[in-house]
Amino acid sequence: MTRECSLLLPRVCAALADPRQPGSDDTCLEKLLDWFRSLTEFDPTVELVQDNPCLTEFIASVLALPEPSPSILSFTLRLAGILAASESRFHHLQQEKLLVRLFGTDGPLNSAVWEDASVRSGWVEGVHSMMHHQPALYFLCNGGGIDVIFALQGDPSLFVASAASRLLVHMLILSVESETTKPLSTQDCDWPACAQVIIKHIEDSLQSSSASHIEQSLKLLTNLFGSCRAPWTEVLWLGIAKQIESFLTEETVQARHMLANLLLNMARSPVFCDPEGSFWALVTSALEHLTPVQAGPLAVGILRLYKCPQDVRIQALTVLLQPMDCILRAASQPLEYAGLLDESVSDPAAVESLLSSKSSGASLLCQTLARLEELLSLIHLPVDLPYTSLLRSLMTILQFCNGFLNPASPLGSTISRILINCFRVQRSALDVLAALSERKGCDTLIESLFNVLLAYLESPNTSPTVLKKTFQATSKWLVRLHELSCSNSQWQQTEKILEDVFLVLQKRLCSPCWEVRDSSLEFLTVLIKCLRDQDEFRQSLLSSEVPRLTENLLEDPESYVRASAVTAVGHLAFITYFAPESPVAGNEYNKESTVAKLQEILSADPEGFPRRAVISIFTKWLRQGCTGQLEDTEQFVSRVIQTVEHDLDWEVRLGGLELVEVFCSQTICQLGLPKCSYAPVSSAAPSSTHQNESLQIFCRTKLFRFLFRSLCDCDKPVGQRACDILLGLRGNFYPISTLKDSQGTEESPAGQSIAWLQRTLRQGSLAQNFPIGAGNGVDFEDPESMMLALGTIDLEELHDELNKSSDHVEKSPQSLLQDILATVGTIEENEADCY
Amino acid sequence: LVCLCLGPGAGQDVGRSCILVSIAGKNVMLDCGMHMGYNDDRRFPDFSYITQNGRLTDFLDCVIISHFHLDHCGALPYFSEMVGYDGPIYMTHPTKAICPILLEDYRKITVDKKGETNFFTSQMIKDCMKKVVAVHLHQTVQVDEELEIKAYYAGHVLGAAMFQIKVGCESVVYTGDYNMTPDRHLGAAWIDKCRPDLLISESTYATTIRDSKRCRERDFLKKVHETVERGGKVLIPVFALGRAQELCILLETFWERMNLKAPIYFSTGLTEKANHYYKLFITWTNQKIRKTFVQRNMFEFKHIKAFDRAFADNPGPMVVFATPGMLHAGQSLQIFRKWAGNEKNMVIMPGYCVQGTVGHKILSGQRKLEMEGRQILEVKMQVEYMSFSAHADAKGIMQLIRQAEPRNVLLVHGEAKKMEFLKQKIEQEFHVSCYMPANGETTTIFTNPSIPVDISLGLLKRETAIGLLPDAKKPKLMHGTLIMKDNSFRLVSPEQALKELGLAEHQLRFTCRVHIQDLRKEHETVLRVYNHLKGVLKDYSVQHLPDGSITVESILIQATAHSEDQGTKVLLVSWTYQDEELGSFLTSLLKKGLPQGAS
């Protein structure tokens, strides 16, 4: 603790304990606790409380209040807990009898304030904080506190209840691990006292007839197995396994839905993963007995496990695929398709009846689909998925949803009636479809798949969110289609599909709904990114109306759409003007006019997104060498800098700096400096002619003025970036050893102006202000002055200053203490006034 | 009906609204706010409490956002793009238009000032907004077949709405923030007598009867005017939208009336966009603005011009609106630094500032601020705090309850002590239950839903054939079999039910043994019983069967001699459920014994 803080602390404590003062802002108290946590974390000594007696005095005075406010009492409980986390401070507080008065039976827990959830929460958190040593454990167990925690597991406040559950887990682990002298085993199971109380409580609750007690214990066990992987957990488990097992078979138990999480946490623990162990039989039984909805999370969790018996995996997969199998069977004529599964784990009738019910059908499908997507996101699948059948069932679902499939079977027609126009299912199915594109083995269906996708893209009933997902799936499958046509040379099919896609895209680009226009443009950009090297793609695209419509959208009334149009046009340029052998002839695509349009947006668009999009496209062009010869590029960059310099949006200015950085590195590279990066040149000085040339180019493009002014930008990231670039440039122009001393340079007029610049920057970067209009003769376009500036201005110092986030002051404990003190005495109503 | 308020900490804490309602099996999240006072996880609600099993998209049926303030929508992109909620989101058209501006504003400040990277990006804000379904006032929106929502005007800020959520005959109204008195640019909240099962109301100003907003406005204008007159500069740090526009109208009309010349600037180019929206959504503003709109658009300001950074150094008086509103970064802070040293100048803070910001410090009276690099900034300029926030006060809350006539009231968004007072008042005046749960506490409310049951035509015809014609005033008791399937109820005849379900009928017979003292032979006893019954039950068909048993309708009587006592005969009586009344009458009759004369 700094001296300033220790001077402020007594006054703050006095203010907080004063009931006449209005309650402090909750966030201040939270931050104060954060500070104490950081102070005590690595310092177990008693000094903190000894050197700052105001802390114990504070606790005592809050305890002495006849009616403490719940927020201050809660704060005090948590503070005391944090302080008592080390044994020495615990004893110190014990000597003053503070802990017993706070956490004991005569404390708040038997007073009226206990009604307030924040006090109960403070009590639990306080106990949790101190629970790091045996004395705390004894203090609580012997003082009857543990019964309070048991009761709090059923607290009306979810926050308190779950904190109590976590606390019990923490205490159980602490007790076993700090008090056991020899390893525990089933034969010789001598639990330490505190652990025994908790375990007894778990066992009793599991056997009770109260559903909430069973749930509490299951939650506790789930927490325990999730956070502790010690061998003793198995001993504990063996004592309760029978009971848990009975929950699976007894229909009446309401807490069954919690078993999936419990078993999953256990399955992840090395203690239970022995393939020969009885645990896996229980998992298998759970897969059989839980409802399809309950078993889903367990199944997908099992498939993600690194270690697991293969037959359990297959069973889990079967559970996951069962609804998809059911869909496939419902849609097909008998014997048409084999279905997905050879056999099922649980009763297929259960899945059928769930799927054919209006209330559960869609949600079961959504959950199944979400799990399949999760599964497909894994790089290595531990089991083989029947991709073709899976794809077929996905297509079936999508066709049910848009009414394109009316199956004859009664089950099929029921399901299709339930699913029609169900956006939730559509979205989930399209997500899985997109994920499936990366798996090989379902290529035979690709043509009919595109029929389904195109139907969605064309249909006016497709909602914007579904359309977006359809675009995502389509782009992924188009890439797949291209890979396929490369191998089987079926170009005609590809061309036809592309033609259809662009036809529908044309229509979507004119949608009255901005979300649709935006998604369409994003789709186009993704396609160009992935397929721009493919001839048939380029030809289909350029022979459609899509490019013209895209350019039109540069004037869209919605700024998001304008920004997406800028990005799309920027990417289109790669296949129109910038492509080595552009397939289009004539003046249809005029590069100059497009660049001029984007320039116009950069300088005049009233909103940030389109301007940000332009600057990032320009940078992309520059990176890919599309801006022409060095001279053209120089002019281009110079124009851009002059436009973005005054932009009100700091992200545009930051984008401008990125462009400058790319330009500098390219110029230096092209002119043959030894290193392309900004790594300082240590020994041999670079050839001075090249150096001069690049310096002159930089001066001509006016980038130094932009860079130096940006150092004083009112938005920090801009200043930091500018400083980085300047440091890089200096590294290129000055070998470290030759850096000039700023003294003695003021003799020449240039030297004087640079000295002024240095002074200005030092103040300006702090005040985030560069004097406007004033230049004091600094010639930012004079190579000599700039060379001098780079050499003399202490950029490292500026760099350090800029990187000190202003939070350094705001977040400091001293500032916090001052703020709390300053609020004292002012009765504020502004707290309630939320912006 | 279950309601849960989520938010960090366990207490009634102002800021960051997020309420979960479960109504008739549907789960709806109301608002998804953030707390600007924190810059770690605590700023967002802890969504893990919503469901421990499964994905949020599967659990929640929809999310509803009441208005664009960040304490109501600030966590939305985090929730939809980072936590992964992928379901529908509803808000009004103006909220959908304005919300991303504020989110973007806040994102930029957060990323700029604090250099945070673990925060939502612009792309995420856009993706989130693309999932939003915009609704009109009083439009009934069908979320799915059972769940419907409807928006009502709430005043407070442009586009703010109260929402009615309805499933079957159960309903909840969530007010969000609202205002029952019209102000300079917005009207008063209004709702019809929808009699919801529960009204969830904010109670920010639960006990306050607020002084008139007019007073505060006059005060504001006076202070600005005085400062400008003495040649000082006025800085008003604001968030991009909302309060800023209100104050602009105020100053614009004042400048016009007083013929003032000092320039008013609005920074960061946001005026145009903001005013664009106010123009676009003119129907959402108050009547006066709508009326005068034809002659003159209130939002086309003559005196308010776009600000350029160079203007801050100009000599002479001026008024500048600059973002952000808490003086913690960017342009407002830059201007503050320039002007703070001059006692002629003034800064007016029109909103809440979180601890740690320069705004918070100067409002709490600190005059020597430590800035970067240990520089001390001495604040000599005047500092004023002015609250213009538009929430309903106690009177307004009572007024709304009177309008909507809810069966239960739940107060949120207020301090416990103040809420307790209001709760008592509500319970006394309206005789309804009032709840005020702490964050994290669930409130369960029992409703009496009337559940519609379809009745089969056959059954109906049969019932009318045997009984009287239907009469609306006299409820009629009907017998049938209730079939519950697919969330619907049907009453059909037992025969039809058996047929539909493919079940066979079981006969349930009641049996009873009656002991009779009679020394005669068994068949003689039977004859006596037969004669007795025939005499008593004249309207029924009583038969004596050849096997020696007697039947009365479905009732069967057999007699046997007692195994130990030949003088006692045991009558075994059995009857079906349909003849239960007759059966019990008969047994009680037989228990009385046989008349002497019967033979």
Side-chain angles (χ1 to χ4, degrees):
Chain A
M1 194 186 294
T2 61
R3 216 181 75 83
E4 287 93 342
C5 288
S6 58
L7 288 176
L8 286 166
L9 192 58
R11 284 164 60 204
V12 169
C13 286
L16 290 178
D18 185 349
R20 287 163 306 173
Q21 296 299 340
S24 214
D25 188 348
D26 273 5
T27 56
C28 288
L29 297 180
E30 285 285 331
K31 288 177 190 172
L32 209 52
L33 290 173
D34 288 349
W35 178 48
F36 280 111
R37 250 177 236 122
S38 68
L39 283 176
T40 53
E41 202 176 356
F42 300 109
D43 174 20
T45 62
V46 76
E47 278 163 31
L48 178 70
V49 273
Q50 268 174 353
D51 296 350
N52 297 285
C54 60
L55 289 172
T56 44
E57 282 161 26
F58 165 74
I59 297 173
S61 54
V62 170
L63 278 167
L65 291 175
E67 269 185 52
S69 86
S71 74
I72 283 297
L73 187 56
S74 171
F75 168 77
T76 313
L77 286 161
R78 293 191 288 165
L79 173 66
I82 292 168
L83 294 176
S86 84
E87 249 180 281
S88 58
R89 284 192 302 262
F90 176 85
H91 290 304
H92 182 89
L93 294 176
Q94 273 288 61
Q95 277 161 16
E96 313 240 340
K97 298 231 172 353
L98 290 175
L99 291 178
V100 88
R101 287 169 64 200
L102 278 171
F103 297 101
T105 40
D106 296 330
L109 73 92
N110 272 321
S111 71
V113 275
W114 192 249
E115 286 295 300
D116 195 292
S118 65
V119 175
R120 299 195 301 275
S121 167
W123 191 91
V124 177
E125 276 186 52
V127 173
H128 200 136
S129 302
M130 79 166 86
M131 206 48 73
H132 288 288
H133 41 76
Q134 285 191 16
L137 210 54
Y138 296 144
F139 164 71
L140 205 82
C141 290
N142 299 339
I146 199 142
D147 291 323
V148 179
I149 309 175
F150 288 149
L152 286 177
Q153 285 184 100
D155 198 86
S157 164
L158 289 183
F159 299 155
V160 177
S162 84
S165 179
R166 284 194 302 268
L167 173 57
L168 284 174
V169 170
H170 180 73
M171 286 171 67
L172 179 58
I173 298 173
L174 178 70
S175 167
V176 175
E177 287 174 4
S178 69
E179 298 181 285
T180 320
T181 43
K182 56 179 180 177
L184 291 158
S185 75
T186 30
Q187 285 79 38
D188 178 19
C189 180
D190 187 16
W191 298 105
C194 175
Q196 200 164 15
V197 175
I198 297 174
I199 292 169
K200 174 87 173 37
H201 174 79
I202 296 174
E203 287 169 349
D204 289 350
S205 313
L206 286 176
Q207 279 166 7
S208 87
S209 55
S210 145
S212 66
H213 282 150
I214 296 178
E215 275 190 27
Q216 283 165 19
S217 284
L218 288 178
K219 206 179 278 177
L220 199 157
L221 288 169
T222 310
N223 271 339
L224 174 70
F225 291 120
S227 54
C228 177
R229 267 104 213 238
W232 61 265
T233 53
E234 194 183 10
V235 182
L236 168 68
W237 169 249
L238 290 173
I240 52 171
K242 276 270 168 315
Q243 187 64 33
I244 303 270
E245 219 177 315
S246 74
F247 292 159
L248 279 175
T249 44
E250 278 168 38
E251 291 289 322
T252 46
V253 177
Q254 289 173 353
R256 269 162 78 177
H257 64 276
M258 305 184 69
L259 291 176
N261 276 344
L262 171 67
L263 293 176
L264 212 47
N265 273 357
M266 290 173 70
R268 292 185 189 120
S269 164
V271 177
F272 298 99
C273 73
D274 173 20
E276 302 302 316
S278 59
F279 170 71
W280 294 110
L282 187 66
V283 172
T284 311
S285 159
L287 287 171
E288 277 168 31
H289 286 97
L290 294 177
T291 66
V293 175
Q294 291 167 345
L298 179 63
V300 80
I302 285 170
L303 288 168
R304 298 186 75 133
L305 288 177
Y306 176 63
K307 269 186 169 175
C308 171
Q310 189 67 7
D311 56 328
V312 180
R313 277 190 188 133
I314 290 170
Q315 197 158 21
L317 183 66
T318 313
V319 166
L320 269 191
L321 290 178
Q322 209 153 16
M324 307 301 280
D325 176 62
C326 181
I327 290 282
L328 213 48
R329 280 186 289 108
S332 66
Q333 302 297 326
L335 304 177
E336 190 187 351
Y337 307 125
L340 264 165
L341 302 170
D342 304 330
E343 56 185 35
S344 52
V345 174
S346 55
D347 184 9
V351 174
E352 273 175 31
S353 84
L354 276 175
L355 278 179
S356 52
S357 144
K358 208 195 269 178
S359 54
S360 60
S363 65
L364 174 63
L365 265 188
C366 282
Q367 288 172 34
T368 305
L369 290 166
R371 300 218 165 90
L372 285 171
E373 192 199 349
E374 193 183 335
L375 201 59
L376 287 168
S377 71
L378 299 178
I379 298 166
H380 298 294
L381 276 178
V383 282
D384 289 328
L385 272 176
Y387 292 120
T388 311
S389 308
L390 190 57
L391 180 60
R392 202 189 297 280
S393 62
L394 282 172
M395 282 157 54
T396 309
I397 292 174
L398 286 170
Q399 285 174 310
F400 278 157
C401 289
N402 67 359
F404 274 41
L405 198 64
N406 293 308
S409 77
L411 178 64
S413 72
T414 315
I415 295 179
S416 72
R417 255 204 321 278
I418 291 168
L419 292 187
I420 195 147
N421 281 336
C422 185
F423 297 154
R424 285 169 66 198
V425 175
Q426 290 175 350
R427 281 195 295 263
S428 307
L430 286 161
D431 277 340
V432 188
L433 202 58
L436 203 58
S437 71
E438 277 150 37
R439 305 280 168 175
K440 302 216 160 49
C442 33
D443 305 329
T444 47
L445 295 173
I446 206 158
E447 200 171 344
S448 36
L449 167 68
F450 272 102
N451 287 337
V452 175
L453 287 173
L454 279 164
Y456 269 78
L457 291 177
E458 275 162 15
S459 166
N461 291 334
T462 307
S463 87
T465 49
V466 174
L467 186 74
K468 187 180 166 180
K469 302 244 174 200
T470 316
F471 276 138
Q472 281 165 354
T474 309
S475 61
K476 291 210 161 181
W477 279 97
L478 279 174
V479 174
R480 181 94 196 96
L481 176 71
H482 167 74
E483 288 164 12
L484 272 179
S485 56
C486 283
S487 60
N488 64 12
S489 309
Q490 289 198 333
W491 303 111
Q492 274 181 329
Q493 184 197 20
T494 310
E495 265 171 43
K496 174 78 184 68
I497 290 173
L498 279 171
E499 221 168 82
D500 291 344
V501 167
F502 287 127
L503 260 177
V504 84
L505 187 60
Q506 271 167 222
K507 217 162 63 189
R508 291 297 187 179
L509 284 171
C510 305
S511 162
C513 179
W514 73 262
E515 291 90 340
V516 171
R517 298 197 299 277
D518 191 71
S519 300
S520 309
L521 288 165
E522 286 180 335
F523 171 63
L524 177 64
T525 305
V526 171
L527 283 190
I528 300 175
K529 272 186 192 165
C530 301
L531 297 170
R532 74 183 217 207
D533 298 332
Q534 314 311 322
D535 283 340
E536 63 273 32
F537 168 76
R538 285 202 303 260
Q539 272 156 11
S540 303
L541 174 58
L542 294 178
S543 57
S544 74
E545 287 285 291
V546 169
R548 189 183 57 81
L549 291 168
T550 306
E551 281 214 17
N552 288 353
L553 289 177
L554 289 175
E555 284 155 33
D556 198 272
E558 182 62 44
S559 63
Y560 277 141
V561 180
R562 288 203 297 281
S564 296
V566 166
T567 312
V569 166
H571 280 85
L572 259 177
F574 288 123
I575 48 177
T576 50
Y577 338 116
F578 302 146
E581 70 279 349
S582 174
V584 279
N587 288 335
E588 198 186 342
Y589 298 100
N590 185 323
K591 178 181 162 190
E592 276 69 35
S593 94
T594 305
V595 175
K597 266 185 203 161
L598 295 191
Q599 271 282 4
E600 173 66 18
I601 290 175
L602 184 62
S603 58
D605 199 291
E607 291 190 48
F609 307 117
R611 302 201 304 268
R612 271 189 252 159
V614 173
I615 192 76
S616 100
I617 275 297
F618 281 174
T619 310
K620 201 172 199 88
W621 284 358
L622 186 64
R623 265 216 181 94
Q624 308 220 355
C626 301
T627 46
Q629 296 301 308
L630 190 55
E631 274 166 46
D632 297 337
T633 304
E634 190 187 314
Q635 277 183 8
F636 171 75
V637 170
S638 163
R639 252 198 330 265
V640 173
I641 288 176
Q642 286 172 59
T643 318
V644 296
E645 221 174 1
H646 300 292
D647 203 290
L648 288 167
D649 185 335
W650 66 263
E651 280 170 289
V652 176
R653 300 197 295 276
L654 195 66
L657 287 172
E658 203 183 327
L659 180 104
V660 165
E661 194 174 17
V662 174
F663 175 66
C664 292
S665 114
Q666 281 185 347
T667 312
I668 292 168
C669 249
Q670 272 184 15
L671 295 177
L673 276 180
K675 280 186 183 171
C676 296
S677 69
Y678 292 148
V681 186
S682 50
S683 53
S687 88
S688 57
T689 40
H690 285 151
Q691 214 180 46
N692 279 342
E693 211 177 325
S694 48
L695 190 62
Q696 275 166 6
I697 292 173
F698 295 156
C699 285
R700 282 203 300 270
T701 45
K702 303 191 178 69
L703 62 78
F704 279 113
R705 190 181 59 183
F706 180 38
L707 286 173
F708 278 115
R709 288 189 152 194
S710 294
L711 290 175
C712 307
D713 196 283
C714 71
D715 290 289
K716 275 244 166 111
V718 178
Q720 288 166 345
R721 191 62 174 265
C723 197
D724 288 343
I725 298 173
L726 282 168
L727 276 167
L729 284 176
R730 192 183 66 187
N732 267 300
F733 292 119
Y734 283 101
I736 288 170
S737 55
T738 61
L739 274 182
K740 291 194 181 174
D741 198 331
S742 58
Q743 279 163 359
T745 53
E746 293 200 18
E747 288 148 22
S748 65
Q752 281 173 13
S753 61
I754 298 306
W756 171 86
L757 181 65
Q758 168 143 22
R759 284 194 304 275
T760 311
L761 288 176
R762 197 173 285 153
Q763 292 164 2
S765 68
L766 293 173
Q768 301 185 329
N769 183 27
F770 192 89
I772 291 167
N776 255 26
V778 182
D779 187 354
F780 289 105
E781 288 165 48
D782 172 34
E784 207 177 310
S785 302
M786 287 305 102
M787 195 63 186
L788 191 64
L790 280 178
T792 48
I793 292 173
D794 191 347
L795 291 167
E796 272 88 7
E797 188 194 39
L798 281 170
H799 185 262
D800 290 347
E801 280 302 328
L802 284 166
N803 277 328
K804 249 186 236 155
S805 154
S806 41
D807 271 356
H808 151 77
V809 177
E810 271 189 26
K811 264 194 202 157
S812 73
Q814 193 187 333
S815 148
L816 174 65
L817 295 174
Q818 279 167 345
D819 284 357
I820 296 175
L821 274 182
T823 334
V824 170
T826 54
I827 294 164
E828 300 266 351
E829 69 165 336
N830 62 348
E831 197 186 316
D833 173 28
C834 283
Y835 9 95
Chain B
L1 206 160
V2 182
C3 184
L4 165 68
C5 304
L6 280 182
Q12 287 99 342
D13 194 0
V14 172
R16 113 208 57 66
S17 289
C18 183
I19 299 165
L20 197 74
V21 170
S22 293
I23 169 171
K26 299 282 168 184
N27 300 309
V28 178
M29 188 159 114
L30 303 166
D31 281 335
C32 189
M34 73 179 302
H35 197 308
M36 296 173 99
Y38 296 106
N39 42 24
D40 51 23
D41 284 348
R42 284 173 286 188
R43 71 175 141 218
F44 298 131
D46 188 343
F47 299 113
S48 66
Y49 286 99
I50 295 179
T51 167
Q52 261 117 41
N53 297 291
R55 303 183 318 146
L56 286 164
T57 313
D58 298 327
F59 182 77
L60 289 177
D61 291 279
C62 72
V63 172
I64 294 173
I65 301 293
S66 64
H67 64 285
F68 63 64
H69 278 156
L70 291 176
D71 55 336
H72 292 259
C73 73
L76 193 60
Y78 171 75
F79 186 58
S80 76
E81 307 306 308
M82 298 170 90
V83 180
Y85 170 73
D86 200 15
I89 302 163
Y90 293 91
M91 52 178 84
T92 64
H93 283 278
T95 307
K96 182 175 180 182
I98 297 165
C99 200
I101 306 178
L102 283 165
L103 288 169
E104 186 64 24
D105 205 31
Y106 190 67
R107 181 197 67 81
K108 288 178 80 165
I109 293 162
T110 312
V111 179
D112 170 10
K113 184 70 175 181
K114 312 206 169 100
E116 281 183 52
T117 44
N118 187 22
F119 204 70
F120 46 77
T121 61
S122 293
Q123 180 70 32
M124 287 177 184
I125 297 175
K126 180 171 88 171
D127 288 341
C128 169
M129 295 323 290
K130 280 164 81 172
K131 291 177 185 168
V132 172
V133 182
V135 302
H136 293 286
L137 283 183
H138 305 162
Q139 171 200 4
T140 302
V141 178
Q142 210 69 43
V143 177
D144 58 34
E145 282 193 11
E146 287 127 22
L147 173 65
E148 61 180 47
I149 60 170
K150 189 174 177 181
Y152 291 95
Y153 192 75
H156 188 63
V157 288
L158 190 72
M162 306 190 272
F163 278 88
Q164 183 191 31
I165 301 114
K166 205 170 162 193
V167 184
C169 55
E170 288 177 72
S171 69
V172 174
V173 167
Y174 171 59
T175 65
D177 289 351
Y178 63 104
N179 188 14
M180 294 300 283
T181 46
D183 67 20
R184 212 164 268 272
H185 70 309
L186 294 169
W190 179 86
I191 193 162
D192 55 28
K193 213 171 273 311
C194 53
R195 298 198 176 97
D197 291 294
L198 176 66
L199 175 84
I200 304 173
S201 171
E202 66 133 339
S203 54
T204 313
Y205 292 141
T207 48
T208 334
I209 305 284
R210 302 207 76 202
D211 58 339
S212 91
K213 206 165 163 179
R214 295 264 153 193
C215 290
R216 277 175 281 151
E217 287 172 0
R218 257 202 308 277
D219 205 23
F220 167 74
L221 290 171
K222 197 174 138 220
K223 280 182 178 138
V224 174
H225 190 197
E226 281 169 4
T227 309
V228 173
E229 283 293 284
R230 64 167 181 259
K233 297 176 166 65
V234 182
L235 170 66
I236 309 174
V238 285
F239 279 94
L241 258 148
R243 196 71 37 82
Q245 278 61 45
E246 196 183 333
L247 298 182
C248 278
I249 303 179
L250 208 61
L251 283 186
E252 171 82 11
T253 35
F254 187 70
W255 248 238
E256 185 81 34
R257 200 171 72 227
M258 304 293 285
N259 197 18
L260 295 177
K261 293 284 177 276
I264 307 175
Y265 298 114
F266 201 118
S267 79
T268 64
L270 278 161
T271 13
E272 284 175 37
K273 181 149 189 174
N275 296 338
H276 166 72
Y277 285 122
Y278 273 78
K279 278 184 249 172
L280 195 65
F281 300 113
I282 193 83
T283 49
W284 285 78
T285 54
N286 72 17
Q287 242 183 352
K288 196 174 153 200
I289 292 186
R290 284 204 299 267
K291 271 188 190 160
T292 54
F293 187 65
V294 191
Q295 308 137 20
R296 197 178 72 87
N297 181 348
M298 281 276 231
F299 296 100
E300 236 140 52
F301 301 122
K302 249 171 47 189
H303 299 273
I304 301 172
K305 296 179 187 75
F307 180 72
D308 183 293
R309 264 182 287 176
F311 297 166
D313 295 318
N314 286 357
M318 69 175 87
V319 181
V320 175
F321 289 94
T323 59
M326 301 193 206
L327 281 184
H328 58 304
Q331 207 154 50
S332 62
L333 184 59
Q334 192 180 39
I335 300 171
F336 174 76
R337 279 179 160 141
K338 285 188 183 185
W339 296 356
N342 190 336
E343 61 273 11
K344 275 204 289 191
N345 299 338
M346 178 187 282
V347 57
I348 300 181
M349 307 293 299
Y352 166 74
C353 295
V354 301
Q355 187 277 322
T357 58
V358 172
H360 183 273
K361 285 177 190 293
I362 58 170
L363 277 182
S364 62
Q366 299 181 56
R367 289 294 174 264
K368 285 206 167 97
L369 306 179
E370 191 188 317
M371 309 304 274
E372 278 96 342
R374 305 237 150 211
Q375 282 185 327
I376 298 292
L377 180 68
E378 199 167 338
V379 182
K380 290 184 183 155
M381 76 198 297
Q382 287 186 58
V383 178
E384 293 290 342
Y385 173 75
M386 303 227 131
S387 165
F388 291 94
S389 79
H391 292 274
D393 58 9
K395 228 168 86 187
I397 296 171
M398 300 296 276
Q399 205 180 328
L400 188 83
I401 297 174
R402 210 165 292 126
Q403 269 183 22
E405 288 191 1
R407 292 189 188 93
N408 298 278
V409 177
L410 190 141
L411 299 175
V412 292
H413 218 289
E415 284 171 57
K417 266 190 189 158
K418 291 183 185 173
M419 281 171 21
E420 182 62 44
F421 175 78
L422 186 66
K423 171 182 146 80
Q424 284 171 10
K425 224 177 133 185
I426 291 169
E427 288 182 337
Q428 264 169 24
E429 192 169 330
F430 300 106
H431 308 290
V432 296
S433 305
C434 183
Y435 305 85
M436 31 176 277
N439 284 335
E441 229 169 78
T442 47
T443 309
T444 307
I445 288 158
F446 294 96
T447 55
N448 294 316
S450 54
I451 301 164
V453 175
D454 293 331
I455 185 161
S456 82
L457 200 61
L459 184 67
L460 203 62
K461 276 184 182 158
R462 201 171 74 184
E463 287 286 322
T464 45
I466 52 168
L468 297 161
L469 285 172
D471 180 355
K473 283 180 190 154
K474 282 187 193 153
K476 189 169 156 53
L477 210 60
M478 289 190 84
H479 293 270
T481 309
L482 191 66
I483 300 187
M484 295 197 283
K485 207 179 162 193
D486 280 350
N487 269 358
S488 71
F489 292 80
R490 276 185 313 130
L491 194 67
V492 299
S493 66
E495 299 80 43
Q496 195 184 335
L498 288 173
K499 212 173 122 195
E500 267 185 40
L501 302 171
L503 297 174
E505 190 174 11
H506 288 257
Q507 279 279 349
L508 188 69
R509 289 189 80 90
F510 300 90
T511 56
C512 176
R513 281 162 205 271
V514 181
H515 295 246
I516 289 179
Q517 295 301 319
D518 191 4
L519 289 167
R520 275 164 270 218
K521 288 254 161 51
E522 282 156 30
H523 69 268
E524 285 171 33
T525 313
V526 171
L527 207 61
R528 284 185 71 200
V529 172
Y530 171 70
N531 289 333
H532 175 50
L533 293 181
K534 228 172 146 52
V536 179
L537 305 166
K538 289 210 170 65
D539 296 335
Y540 293 86
S541 107
V542 185
Q543 287 178 10
H544 189 190
L545 302 182
D547 68 348
S549 52
I550 304 165
T551 61
V552 185
E553 305 289 328
S554 71
I555 301 165
L556 185 74
I557 305 166
Q558 287 170 325
T560 50
H562 201 281
S563 54
E564 284 162 22
D565 174 14
Q566 288 298 316
T568 306
K569 300 286 175 298
V570 182
L571 294 179
L572 189 71
V573 188
S574 85
W575 64 92
T576 63
Y577 156 76
Q578 282 86 356
D579 284 326
E580 199 191 342
E581 265 177 61
L582 185 62
S584 43
F585 170 74
L586 235 159
T587 40
S588 54
L589 186 74
L590 291 174
K591 273 180 186 165
K592 286 179 195 154
L594 296 173
Q596 284 310 310
S599 64

